[in-house]
Amino acid sequence: PWIIPPAAAALDLANRFARRPIMSGDQLRLSAHNVFFDSSKAVAELGLPLLPFRNAVERAYRWYVDHGYLS
């Protein structure tokens, strides 16, 4: 955990010169926290489906490929 603040600052600096930043310093800082979410409200009010982890990762991967973030 001690490495995250300086690494995030370095990432923010590097992103100033990068054409396509891979990750922001804020994303790295957030990774140091345990964050939990409950999707029951989205399921109940919006009808969003609950996907198994594997399916969610596959859909996310496909989105990144389709939008040119991965090849």
Side-chain angles (χ1 to χ4, degrees):
W2 63 268
I3 193 71
I4 290 178
L11 190 56
D12 286 335
L13 179 63
N15 283 339
R16 290 183 182 186
F17 305 102
R19 283 189 173 180
R20 276 176 104 171
I22 296 173
M23 174 184 222
S24 75
D26 289 334
Q27 289 171 307
L28 185 57
R29 288 179 195 92
L30 185 60
S31 72
H33 301 279
N34 290 325
V35 181
F36 299 94
F37 298 94
D38 176 13
S39 62
S40 61
K41 186 175 181 180
V43 171
E45 294 184 14
L46 301 175
L48 295 177
L50 285 178
L51 295 176
F53 179 76
R54 182 180 179 95
N55 292 29
V57 170
E58 288 172 351
R59 286 181 63 180
Y61 174 78
R62 176 58 36 212
W63 185 91
Y64 279 100
V65 169
D66 291 346
H67 289 83
Y69 293 104
L70 298 172
S71 53

